[in-house]
């Protein structure tokens, strides 16, 4: 987490020092987007953060069964449906792995 804190602090100083329309260049972004602005990069990072936070939340829900932010807003988990869903995911993953790594005879 130290690197995350350092990166966060550095980013804060960059955002404070520059205008949102400050030009920038991201060489790994496809044409015509490598030439961009600080604002566009910030929106991109926000979108990435939201997407990955959502992925993490889906994994958490699979593990602990909670479906809401606050306990009073949650619907009771359908444990039978959850177990069936988990079994289907596991079966699909096992089948996909078998295609990638066939069993040796």
């Amino acid at each position: 987490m130290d690197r995350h804190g350092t990166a966060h602090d550095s980013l804060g100083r960059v955002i404070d020092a520059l205008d949102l329309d400050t030009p920038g260049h991201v060489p790994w972004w496809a044409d015509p987007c490598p030439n961009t602005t600080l604002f566009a990069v910030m929106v991109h990072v926000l979108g990435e953060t939201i997407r990955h936070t959502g992925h993490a939340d889906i994994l958490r829900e699979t593990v602990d069964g909670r479906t809401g932010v606050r306990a009073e807003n949650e619907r009771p988990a359908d444990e039978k449906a959850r177990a069936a869903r988990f079994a289907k995911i596991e079966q699909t993953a096992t089948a996909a792995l078998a295609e990638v790594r066939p069993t040796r005879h």
Side-chain angles (χ1 to χ4, degrees):
M1 289 302 266
D2 284 342
R3 286 194 299 180
H4 179 272
T6 301
H8 182 269
D9 293 343
S10 296
L11 181 59
R13 286 192 299 274
V14 168
I15 292 170
D16 288 344
L18 300 175
D19 292 328
L20 292 177
D21 60 353
T22 299
H25 182 77
V26 183
W28 55 88
W29 285 6
D31 282 333
C33 297
N35 297 316
T36 188
T37 64
L38 176 60
F39 178 76
V41 171
M42 290 172 61
V43 169
H44 175 79
V45 170
L46 177 62
E48 287 290 317
T49 301
I50 290 167
R51 182 175 19 260
H52 293 295
T53 301
H55 294 161
D57 194 45
I58 290 168
L59 293 173
R60 185 210 38 86
E61 287 176 5
T62 301
V63 171
D64 69 12
R66 292 194 57 190
T67 57
V69 176
R70 297 191 324 237
E72 62 269 20
N73 293 337
E74 288 189 30
R75 297 182 314 243
D78 181 342
E79 292 300 327
K80 186 176 178 181
R82 186 169 163 242
R85 178 77 175 141
F86 181 82
K88 183 174 176 78
I89 291 169
E90 188 171 36
Q91 179 184 23
T92 302
T94 301
L97 183 59
E99 288 181 24
V100 174
R101 288 192 256 171
T103 306
R104 294 182 183 149
H105 297 284

